[in-house]
Amino acid sequence: MKNISTFSIVARDPHTGELGVAVQSKFLAAAAVVSWAKAGAGAIATQAMANLDYGELGLKLLEKGYTAQQTLDALLSLDDGREDRQVGIVDADGNSVAYTGGSCFDWAGHITGDNFSCQGNILVSEATVKAMAEAFNNTKGNLATRLVEALDKAQEAGGDKRGRQSAGLLIVKENGSYGGYNDKYIDLRVDDDPEPIKKLRHLLYLHELYFNKPTKEDIIEVTVEVGKRIQDALKRLEYYNGDINGLFDQLTQNAYFAFCGVENFEERLCEGSYIDKNVLNILIEKSEE
């Protein structure tokens, strides 16, 4: 069995109840093995000589109401190979716990705190997990932003001794998926890339662009000047065949809505004579390609 040398963070947002795992490793598709989370239960990272039962069974125990510590104790008691394991757990109440087996390759260790646990093995030094914890505690924004920033700062502090290959971000919340069918709010993976965290940050940007509603700062009024830019771009892309008069009339709106539908920007449609400036910029860029 290969050793999943990696650094990861499991965490909870006390304001939203979101739970998540972020991971980076010199291991192909590490997130497929390391990251486990269930809304209302908790989040788990299982690594080193990873035991996947820690993820599957651990979530079942958390869902039944076991605390993070009780869950860890139960998992370790069932595992004769526990000295080769590393695991971090946070429960739905924000209790956190971690374990680093004595046989894990240096540097290996963890830091826990309210609502988070950081852990890593085969690292350059302890500075990696310290930087990860510090970044998580000091970064503003939503849980996803804080987790990716924690990975980035951990990498800057040294990271995995063997290098970089993959990264992942998993965030769960009740009915968080597209259409509300399950709890997977964000499930992004970079399975093989020379700069996986940079790629992961870009994927998170795209996720927020495609699936989040526009903020107040994103919304602009369609003035005549803006309307002409919209019409010109839509005409270049063959969505619009009317006059370039700057009016956001029904013909222009229909063409704009068609563009948004094709490009998967339905979540960013606004009411009345308003549009998302991010979509406008993308529309213009595409028309100039």
Side-chain angles (χ1 to χ4, degrees):
M1 182 183 294
K2 291 185 177 181
N3 193 297
I4 303 182
S5 56
T6 187
F7 54 90
S8 67
I9 175 171
V10 294
R12 167 183 174 265
D13 186 325
H15 304 293
T16 65
E18 293 176 1
L19 294 151
V21 187
V23 58
Q24 198 278 159
S25 181
K26 180 64 174 71
F27 188 91
L28 180 68
V33 176
V34 172
S35 306
W36 300 77
K38 185 172 181 59
I44 299 172
T46 176
Q47 54 202 51
M49 293 292 185
N51 183 338
L52 271 63
D53 284 345
Y54 281 28
E56 189 168 358
L57 178 58
L59 290 183
K60 289 180 180 178
L61 293 174
L62 291 171
E63 194 173 14
K64 287 180 178 293
Y66 281 57
T67 65
Q69 185 66 60
Q70 290 170 333
T71 298
L72 177 62
D73 291 343
L75 294 172
L76 294 177
S77 70
L78 296 170
D79 185 10
D80 291 338
R82 53 186 170 272
E83 291 304 315
D84 294 313
R85 318 298 188 199
Q86 187 173 52
V87 58
I89 304 174
V90 63
D91 62 32
D93 294 321
N95 303 304
S96 67
V97 67
Y99 169 81
T100 300
S103 297
C104 292
F105 298 148
D106 284 337
W107 187 90
H110 55 264
I111 296 175
T112 62
D114 291 341
N115 295 299
F116 79 91
S117 174
C118 298
Q119 46 282 322
N121 63 93
I122 318 187
L123 303 180
V124 171
S125 72
E126 183 182 8
T128 295
V129 291
K130 285 184 174 180
M132 192 162 28
E134 182 177 349
F136 178 75
N137 283 325
N138 295 331
T139 299
K140 303 298 182 183
N142 58 29
L143 183 60
T145 297
R146 296 172 69 195
L147 289 179
V148 173
E149 184 66 15
L151 288 187
D152 202 21
K153 295 304 181 185
Q155 180 60 47
E156 288 182 5
D160 189 323
K161 189 182 296 184
R162 300 189 306 173
R164 295 173 283 182
Q165 184 169 11
S166 67
L169 174 66
L170 174 64
I171 306 285
V172 297
K173 64 179 181 179
E174 295 289 346
N175 306 120
S177 74
Y178 179 79
Y181 294 101
N182 59 52
D183 67 357
K184 282 191 178 181
Y185 173 47
I186 300 175
D187 188 7
L188 302 174
R189 281 176 32 187
V190 180
D191 289 343
D192 185 27
D193 193 274
E195 295 189 74
I197 299 172
K198 181 179 179 180
K199 184 68 172 180
L200 184 64
R201 191 183 292 277
H202 176 65
L203 291 178
L204 178 58
Y205 160 75
L206 291 178
H207 185 279
E208 293 178 341
L209 179 65
Y210 286 121
F211 298 113
N212 287 5
K213 299 288 187 183
T215 65
K216 182 183 293 185
E217 292 73 24
D218 292 328
I219 298 172
I220 61 172
E221 185 177 5
V222 182
T223 61
V224 171
E225 180 182 352
V226 171
K228 287 181 178 180
R229 296 174 69 195
I230 293 171
Q231 290 169 335
D232 179 66
L234 290 170
K235 179 165 284 192
R236 289 170 180 263
L237 294 171
E238 300 182 348
Y239 285 96
Y240 177 73
N241 59 6
D243 297 330
I244 308 297
N245 55 24
L247 300 178
F248 201 49
D249 53 19
Q250 196 63 56
L251 184 63
T252 305
Q253 289 183 38
N254 289 345
Y256 177 73
F257 294 163
F259 168 80
C260 289
V262 169
E263 299 295 333
N264 299 316
F265 291 131
E266 292 94 341
E267 294 296 326
R268 295 210 162 246
L269 291 173
C270 306
E271 295 183 1
S273 297
Y274 295 90
I275 63 167
D276 185 326
K277 64 183 180 183
N278 299 291
V279 178
L280 173 60
N281 290 336
I282 292 170
L283 168 63
I284 293 172
E285 287 174 6
K286 283 187 172 293
S287 73
E288 295 174 346
E289 290 178 353

